[in-house]
Amino acid sequence: MTQTLNHLFQELLDAESIFKNKEVLRHSYTPDVLVHRDEQTKELATILVSALRGETPSNILIYGKTGTGKTAVTRYVGKELENMSEKLNVKCTVIYVNCEIIDTQYRLLANLARHYGEEIPMTGWPTDQVFQKFKEAIDAEEQVLIIILDEIDKLVKKGDDALYNLSRINTSLKNARVSIIGVSNDLKFTEFLDPRVKSSLGEEEIIYPPYNADQIRDILYQRAEMAYNPGVLDSMVIPLCSALAAQEHGDARRALDLLRVSGEIADRQNEHKVYEEHVRQAQDKIEVDRVVEVVRTLPTQSKLVLFSIVYLTKNTDRSKKAITTGEVYMLYKKLCKIVDLDILTQRRITDLLSELDMLGIINSAVVSKGRYGRTKEISLAVSENSTYEVLLEDYKLSQLKDLQLKIGYF
DNA sequence: CCTCCACCGGAACGTGAGGAGT
DNA sequence: ACTCCTCACGTTCCGGTGGAGG
C-alpha cells in the first residue's frame, strides 16, 4: 500500500508542471515592480517621506475598488519605507493590519500591542487597559509608527471608537508619533464616521481608478513571466484574461485568478501548454465556485425563496411570461409548510429578493403590467441545475428532493 | 383621461442575541 | 451578575405607482 502511494506521488511530482512559481499569482503576493501604479506610489511616498525626517506624516485614506492595487502599493511603499529608515538610522515602523480578520477594537489594539512584545490575553482585559499598554510600548522610544488598516470599512461597521482613539493618540504621546493609513474599497464609508474622525483620518486622500484592459495585460505579462515556464502560454491567453477581467470593472485580482486557474486546469488535463479554451473553462469554474459559495452561505429563508425561483424556472415553459413576486410567494408559502419553516410576510420576501438581486444570483426589475398590476419580474442569473444541487445540500431543503410528488398540480 | 391592479418600498416598531460597562 | 445598548431580522401599516383597459 505504502509503496503504491509513494509511487503515486512520485509520478505526480515527476510530471513536469507548467508552473515555475504559482505563488506569484496569489493575491497575497506583493511584486517588486508595480506596473501602472507609479503615480499612486509616488503620491503615497511623498506623504510618507516626512517619517524619515522624524516628522509625523498626515493620515491617509486610500480608496479604490477591489483589485486596483491599493493593498499591493501600500504594502510595497511600507516595505521600502522601513528599508530606508534602517539605512538612515531613523526608527520607523510600519504595521499592516487586515481589518477583515481583526475586526474589533479590542483585537486591533491587542494585535498592535503584541507587535511590541506585550503579552495581551485574547480576551478579558478592559479595552482601555490594552490601549494604555500599547501607548506605553510605543512611547518607550522616539519613533514614527505607521499603521496600515486594510479594509478599514469592516472595522468601522463595528463602531468607530477604535479609530477615534487611534486618531487622537498623538496628543498623549511624548516620544512616538503615529500616523494611520486607511485602505477601503467602499467610497462612501466615511459617511458612517464621526466627523472628527473623518477629518482627522482623511487629511490626505488617494483614489485608485480601475485598470483598463491594456494595463491589466501588462500586469499579467509581468507576473506570467515569473509564474509560468517560458513558452507554455498560448499567445491568446493573456489578452483574453485581460479582456475578461476588464469587463469586471478592471479587477486585476480577477485577472490573476483567471490566469492561475487556467493554468491549473491545463495542468490537470496534462497539457503542456495553456490555451484559450482553458481560460474559458477557468472563467466558468470561477463563476460556479462563486455562486456555490454564495448560495451555500445564504440563510435558510433566502434559500427557500431561491429554491422557489429555481423550481418555477424549471417547471414553467420558456414561452410563458417571466416569474413574478406573487408566484414566488405562493410557492414559497407551500414549501414552508412542507419543510416546517415559519412563513415570512410578503414584505420581507421583497427584501430577500432584492438581496438575491444584489448578490447577482437573480435578475429582477420592477415592471408595470397595466391593469394587471406592478411587480418584479424575476429570472435566475445563474445555472439552475448547479444552484438546485447546492440548495438541496441544506438540511431543511433536502426534503424537497422529489418535489413533484408532493405538490403535484403546481 | 381615468381607474385600478398587484405589488413596491419607506417608516416605525418588536424581539431576541450578543457585547460592553459597572 | 446585572443592566444597558446595539444590531440583525421581521412585522405592521400604508402611501405610491406605470400603464392596459375601459
Side-chain angles (χ1 to χ4, degrees):
Chain A
M1 187 60 186
T2 9
Q3 261 191 342
T4 346
L5 273 183
N6 280 342
H7 187 66
L8 173 71
F9 284 117
Q10 196 60 52
E11 207 164 75
L12 287 170
L13 270 178
D14 287 346
E16 203 184 335
S17 169
I18 54 177
F19 286 108
K20 197 197 298 176
N21 177 10
K22 196 154 73 180
E23 288 309 305
V24 178
L25 297 177
R26 300 212 176 267
H27 309 154
S28 49
Y29 178 80
T30 313
D32 296 331
V33 183
L34 292 160
V35 189
H36 292 301
R37 279 297 178 246
D38 300 341
E39 204 181 299
Q40 285 79 6
T41 311
K42 205 168 283 173
E43 196 174 350
L44 185 56
T46 313
I47 299 167
L48 291 182
V49 73
S50 50
L52 295 173
R53 304 195 192 103
E55 297 157 13
T56 323
S58 304
N59 292 331
I60 309 169
L61 276 180
I62 295 176
Y63 301 105
K65 291 194 175 166
T66 42
T68 47
K70 306 180 297 290
T71 308
V73 168
T74 314
R75 298 195 80 145
Y76 170 75
V77 174
K79 208 165 68 184
E80 289 293 301
L81 184 67
E82 276 189 319
N83 289 345
M84 201 57 186
S85 73
E86 230 167 86
K87 266 190 218 161
L88 296 175
N89 227 352
V90 185
K91 178 85 174 149
C92 175
T93 319
V94 179
I95 299 180
Y96 174 87
V97 181
N98 187 336
C99 301
E100 199 174 11
I101 304 162
I102 296 162
D103 58 356
T104 64
Q105 172 165 224
Y106 186 90
R107 276 187 229 160
L108 172 63
L109 290 171
N111 190 280
L112 291 174
R114 267 189 225 113
H115 250 273
Y116 285 89
E118 294 290 334
E119 300 267 338
I120 310 277
M122 287 304 284
T123 167
W125 283 21
T127 311
D128 24 336
Q129 193 179 338
V130 184
F131 194 54
Q132 197 57 42
K133 269 275 180 198
F134 170 62
K135 279 201 291 197
E136 283 167 19
I138 55 172
D139 214 18
E141 59 180 321
E142 202 164 302
Q143 63 167 319
V144 178
L145 174 64
I146 292 170
I147 304 172
I148 302 173
L149 298 175
D150 203 351
E151 318 255 352
I152 194 171
D153 37 336
K154 299 275 164 29
L155 189 64
V156 174
K157 287 203 180 106
K158 307 221 172 169
D160 55 7
D161 290 9
L163 294 176
Y164 181 70
N165 290 332
L166 273 180
S167 63
R168 295 174 32 111
I169 191 170
N170 280 335
T171 56
S172 55
L173 291 177
K174 286 205 180 74
N175 305 313
R177 310 272 86 187
V178 174
S179 106
I180 301 167
I181 304 180
V183 181
S184 160
N185 43 32
D186 183 357
L187 277 155
K188 296 179 299 178
F189 94 100
T190 51
E191 284 174 17
F192 307 111
L193 283 178
D194 184 312
R196 287 168 296 180
V197 182
K198 187 175 166 182
S199 63
S200 158
L201 273 181
E203 288 172 335
E204 300 275 355
E205 300 194 350
I206 305 179
I207 297 190
Y208 283 57
Y211 295 109
N212 63 34
D214 290 341
Q215 294 171 332
I216 292 184
R217 203 190 49 218
D218 292 342
I219 295 170
L220 290 186
Y221 275 121
Q222 178 216 7
R223 299 280 186 106
E225 203 179 312
M226 294 184 277
Y228 285 98
N229 284 316
V232 298
L233 292 184
D234 184 76
S235 64
M236 279 314 291
V237 167
I238 286 184
L240 183 57
C241 286
S242 330
L244 289 171
Q247 286 168 16
E248 301 269 336
H249 23 257
D251 185 348
R253 200 178 290 186
R254 181 64 182 264
L256 290 167
D257 281 340
L258 263 179
L259 188 57
R260 175 173 52 83
V261 175
S262 309
E264 283 169 358
I265 289 175
D267 219 7
R268 211 162 302 148
Q269 295 173 2
N270 285 323
E271 296 268 8
H272 298 293
K273 233 179 142 181
V274 185
Y275 294 101
E276 211 178 311
E277 176 56 24
H278 297 129
V279 180
R280 304 225 178 258
Q281 287 174 22
Q283 169 93 335
D284 289 346
K285 181 175 185 303
I286 290 172
E287 176 61 16
V288 168
D289 285 355
R290 189 199 128 244
V291 170
V292 166
E293 190 49 35
V294 171
V295 172
R296 190 173 283 152
T297 54
L298 240 34
T300 314
Q301 290 286 1
S302 299
K303 281 185 186 169
L304 194 57
V305 174
L306 181 57
F307 186 94
S308 309
I309 298 167
V310 174
Y311 187 85
L312 288 171
T313 314
K314 272 175 172 289
N315 293 281
T316 41
D317 56 81
R318 282 268 173 271
S319 56
K320 222 186 121 193
K321 66 221 179 301
I323 302 165
T324 66
T325 309
E327 287 176 285
V328 172
Y329 190 59
M330 293 260 284
L331 177 56
Y332 160 83
K333 279 198 288 189
K334 285 183 186 168
L335 297 181
C336 272
K337 285 186 190 142
I338 296 175
V339 300
D340 191 27
L341 274 175
D342 294 340
I343 299 175
L344 303 183
T345 51
Q346 182 153 350
R347 178 69 188 83
R348 183 90 253 272
I349 300 305
T350 306
D351 284 344
L352 294 184
L353 285 170
S354 303
E355 278 170 32
L356 290 174
D357 190 17
M358 296 275 281
L359 289 168
I361 301 175
I362 63 172
N363 296 317
S364 73
V366 277
V367 179
S368 175
K369 302 205 215 168
R371 172 108 302 183
Y372 306 103
R374 207 163 178 255
T375 182
K376 269 199 177 96
E377 282 198 339
I378 300 160
S379 64
L380 212 52
V382 295
S383 141
E384 55 182 72
N385 287 326
S386 48
T387 311
Y388 184 73
E389 295 296 322
V390 178
L391 284 172
L392 286 180
E393 285 174 17
D394 187 280
Y395 165 71
K396 285 257 180 190
L397 301 215
S398 59
Q399 306 167 50
L400 298 173
K401 196 152 192 172
D402 306 303
L403 195 58
Q404 281 80 349
L405 307 172
K406 290 183 186 163
I407 36 174
Y409 62 92
F410 204 92

